[in-house]
């Protein structure tokens, strides 16, 4: 029984769960609302890097809509985590520097989840692994 619990596929199952759960949360909570309410988001999105609100929103949509699909599938996983990590870092450090840990806990937890995936890779159950052979 213990051998099954600590078997060789356990880390891969954990990475699959982290990819699917993290990507679903990011897409559902941040990506889809921005995509569905583009005009409203454009009117009030912060522009901390001074790129213009339209470019900032487009970058946010890339990181919060396209990247979660790539991460969930395990396709270019480490690369797809980078825009997410950058967006979360900018959001936590530049947009919301006054937030306490409690107020920003969702953002910090997403940083932990996607940072772990970026470091560990997609795992065995991924398109990346299939492409690598």
């Amino acid at each position: 029984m213990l051998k099954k619990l600590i078997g060789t596929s356990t880390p891969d199952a954990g990475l699959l769960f982290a990819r699917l759960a993290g990507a679903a949360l990011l897409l559902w909570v941040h990506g889809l609302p921005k995509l569905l309410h583009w005009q409203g988001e454009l009117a009030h999105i912060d522009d901390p890097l001074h790129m213009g609100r339209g470019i900032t929103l487009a970058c946010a949509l890339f990181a919060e809509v396209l990247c979660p699909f790539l991460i969930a599938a395990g396709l270019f996983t480490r690369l797809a985590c980078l825009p997410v990590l950058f967006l979360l870092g900018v959001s936590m450090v530049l947009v919301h520097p006054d937030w306490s840990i409690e107020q920003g806990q969702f953002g910090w937890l997403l940083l932990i989840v996607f940072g772990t995936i970026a470091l560990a890779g997609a795992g065995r159950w991924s398109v990346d692994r299939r492409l690598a052979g």
Side-chain angles (χ1 to χ4, degrees), residues 12-93:
D12 294 305
L15 287 170
L16 176 65
F17 177 76
R19 286 190 354 251
L20 295 176
L25 276 174
L26 183 60
L27 181 66
W28 187 261
V29 175
H30 291 281
L32 289 179
K34 281 183 181 73
L35 187 62
L36 296 174
H37 307 288
W38 170 271
Q39 289 300 324
E41 291 289 331
L42 194 57
H44 76 269
I45 192 166
D46 289 303
D47 185 21
L49 301 178
H50 309 290
M51 300 184 305
R53 289 177 185 236
I55 293 174
T56 298
L57 184 55
C59 290
L61 285 169
F62 176 78
E64 295 174 347
V65 175
L66 179 62
C67 290
F69 280 109
L70 294 172
I71 293 165
L75 178 61
F76 308 120
T77 309
R78 286 182 164 137
L79 188 60
C81 284
L82 295 179
V84 174
L85 293 171
F86 182 78
L87 178 74
L88 287 166
V90 166
S91 176
M92 300 308 293
V93 174

